[in-house]
Amino acid sequence: MLLDYLTLSGPMLMTICGFGVGLLVGMTGVGAGALTTPLLISGFGVAPTVAVGTDLLFAGLTKAGGAWRHHRLGHVNWGIFTALAIGSVSAASLTLVAIAYLEADPATLGEMIRLVLAGTLVVSAIAVPLIPILLVRRVKARSSQVVVRPFWTVLMGIVLGVIVTLTSVGAGAIGVAILTLLYPMLRARHIVGTDIIHAVPLTLLSGLGHLSLGNIDFSRLLPLLIGSLPGILIGARLTSMVPDWLLRFILALVLATAAYLVIMKF
């Protein structure tokens, strides 16, 4: 059966999967966590704790490869990035301390977060294409030059940092949701670019923390990176070629798929 072949853990299949994830991440900012963690657990039989750690390091390295491209294309709002990172990096650091020294059980808390996360993704999948349509009569033009909302952005960054460190899911998916809801008239390509840039320090910090806990499978990580790095560069380039409305539609589909996979992850 085809499903039997899809569960093979050969490096070639892993590389192909990595390319597909990288392409989606480059275009939408979503996929490194929401798609890869379920893939590692369900498709390749990796233990959940190891899948989370491996995916975090994979996401950080992959998005680092595409971050410079989005920056060069002018897709990053650095004011929003700074506020979001202040909250998320601080929260991720404290969460790692809690896991290491307070004997916290991330699996139990992650299960509690899972349904909330799925609901957030569903709402985001609806909001991404609809919010600009609903507000278009109030705003003459969409622009990346928006007024930063520091309090709410930092607060949402804190929530994001905790969730990502515990589950590996959300740096892209919830990050896109937060940017869409807080800055509804930000262009889709700027949502994607800012989200990818922000995910780099957050996922790298969380991934290195899990590395210190022994939760990394390098035999899975390396083939994934071989595929994802060229994939994210191609995807980042496509964001400048795809119309804003189509990019939002693709983003909505990926978010809806991510919600389904998060529900089915464990």
Side-chain angles (χ1 to χ4, degrees), residues 168-195:
S168 83
V169 178
I174 298 183
V176 165
I178 288 171
L179 292 176
T180 299
L181 295 174
L182 291 181
Y183 305 97
M185 302 315 294
L186 195 64
R187 289 187 179 275
R189 64 197 54 167
H190 295 117
I191 290 176
V192 172
T194 303
D195 178 66

Side-chain angles (χ1 to χ4, degrees), residues 28 36-37 45 52 72 79 120 137-138 141 146 200 206 213 218 258 266:
T28 68
T36 309
T37 300
V52 168
R72 289 189 61 187
T120 303
R137 294 181 180 179
R138 300 182 185 181
V146 298
V200 173
S206 300
L213 299 173
F218 286 98
F266 295 112

Side-chain angles (χ1 to χ4, degrees), residues 170-240:
I174 298 183
V176 165
I178 288 171
L179 292 176
T180 299
L181 295 174
L182 291 181
Y183 305 97
M185 302 315 294
L186 195 64
R187 289 187 179 275
R189 64 197 54 167
H190 295 117
I191 290 176
V192 172
T194 303
D195 178 66
I196 287 178
I197 288 283
H198 165 257
V200 173
L202 173 57
T203 53
L204 278 178
L205 173 64
S206 300
L208 291 174
H210 279 275
L211 174 62
S212 68
L213 299 173
N215 293 337
I216 304 293
D217 184 344
F218 286 98
S219 68
R220 317 284 180 163
L221 175 63
L222 294 178
L224 281 171
L225 287 174
I226 291 173
S228 68
L229 290 175
I232 195 171
L233 292 176
I234 296 172
R237 182 60 181 173
L238 289 176
T239 57
S240 297

Side-chain angles (χ1 to χ4, degrees), residues 105-130:
D105 183 5
T108 301
L109 188 55
E111 182 66 20
M112 295 172 60
I113 291 172
R114 183 169 57 90
L115 292 179
V116 177
L117 175 58
T120 303
L121 293 175
V122 171
V123 171
S124 303
I126 298 172
V128 166
L130 288 186

Side-chain angles (χ1 to χ4, degrees), residues 47-72:
T49 54
V50 176
V52 168
T54 302
D55 182 45
L56 282 168
L57 198 53
F58 163 72
L61 294 172
T62 296
K63 292 185 176 183
W68 69 273
R69 185 62 179 172
H70 276 285
H71 169 60
R72 289 189 61 187

